[in-house]
Amino acid sequence: MATRKTSKGKGKARAKAASKKVVKLRSKAAAKKANGNGHLPRPSTKAWGQAGKALTGVRILDFTHVQSGPTCTQLLAWLGADVIKVERPGVGDITRGQLVDVKGADSLYFTMLNHNKRSITIDSKHPQGKRVLDELIKTCDVLVENFAPGALDRMGLTWEHIHKLNPRMIVASVKGFGPGPYEDCKVYENVAQCAGGSASTTGFREGPPLVTGAQIGDSGTGLHLALGIVCALFQRNRTGRGQKVLAAMQDGVLNLCRVKLRDQQRLKAGPLTEYSQYGEGVPFGDAVPRAGNDSGGGQPGWILKCKGWENDPDAYIYFITQAPVWGEICDLIGEPTWKTDPEYATPRARLPKLKSIFARIEQWTMTKTKFEVMEICNKVDIPVGPILSMKEIAEEPSLRKTGTVVEVDHPTRGKYLTVGNPIKLSDSISEVKRSPLLGEHTDEILKDVLKLSAKDIAEIKNSGALSAPKKEEKAA
Ligand code: COA
């Protein structure tokens, strides 16, 4: 039976057609926006994980050494970039020979910061070496360096020179300080921790400033630089141009210490009531003090002893007296009356008494191991954190399972543990490949990347640009 559209039905059909049109128009616009050529991006036809990594196709000329720069390029390599590490012939990255634990093998210092890279040796001050570098600059997307200020320019690799050879090149640098009075200074990790505000705010009030074990100056700045590089690559898609990226270690540390600059400004409004110093009645000065193990946020916390602390330096737990679970804490430690006692019932009432409250909680934690405290507290949503030793972390099965702690085999040192990529991308899985031996890929890079003939390669090699000067020559 034929159906006849009523006027109401016709209206509905018109609205449907109109909405289809709108959808069509929108999707065309979206397609144009998506890739600029009017085609909607299609999903990869390759199997999951086979479609390449996030940074596949990006080639990095890695002039980094020690820790800050190598952290950055290692991360980019894990994410799929082809990282070509340029090293001084015969010497290489100085860390290869620092803190050596296996005679004749690259140190763990080096191997744990240079996974997934290729190594080429080039004397960047030799005329033929410079030529090779110029050719590499033409084929790479990013040059990363963390030399002392001015060293790259002294090699002749000024921004102008690089940009003329390859206008798409991104030049990324770690320096100790940004422009200003200290811009010419050489900087290592702890210098940055001190100059970035970390040391003055770490440690106990009664003691000297302290540096932290976490390498926030080196590795932290490497992470900042990696983000800057990825952003510059993204912007280059629109502009077609490279740019300079600078991550100063002082700035990187300060960025990680921003809560302390927050507190510096809060001092004007009165004492910092969440610092235990407040409860202890010690007046504040005009700069943020060291706060021991106080929590940096609004929920008070402290490190407390657990069972076995007398013999085990890591038998401790970080305990946070988060306000919403105050009742649960009182029940656990056997102080149920604190739930309603006006002296304890509110976060404000508790602030001046934090020291004695934590002492009472510690009486309870000392009856349990840190793992027992963790288990009991987590069941009732009390945030706590066991103080894990590096031994415990190295042996933790769940970290092995996620690839955060990885065992790697190395031809001269054998098996060792390293930290894998802490950033997990579901379609760009990081495999951790051992670090390169010094100059291991020199021939491969000259041949496959620069497409040089065997004759050209032999000529460059004979010039001495890729090898260490002979001892007699050095003496002469
Ligand atoms: N061929 C020839 N020469 C090379 C070379 C190569 N492949 N690679 C490096 N060099 C040279 C440099 O050109 C430089 O020579 P120059 O001073 O005559 O110009 C020299 O090696 C040393 O470089 P430099 O960076 O000064 O090393 P350093 O060991 O004296 O200082 C740092 C190390 C880390 C203090 C310094 O590099 C620095 O302050 N870097 C910036 C901040 C930073 O990253 N610090 C953290 C390190 S984890």
Side-chain angles (χ1 to χ4, degrees), residues 65 67-68 88 122 124-125 146 148 154-155 186-187 218:
H65 64 158
Q67 185 183 166
S68 65
R88 199 205 291 245
I122 306 176
S124 61
K125 291 172 180 159
N146 68 310
R154 286 196 291 277
M155 286 179 186
K186 285 186 178 181
V187 168
D218 279 341

Side-chain angles (χ1 to χ4, degrees), residues 388-397 399-400 404-405 417:
L388 294 183
S389 68
M390 273 300 154
K391 183 174 182 293
E392 286 164 330
I393 288 173
E395 291 165 358
E396 171 58 46
L399 294 176
R400 297 289 184 100
T404 296
V405 176
L417 283 187

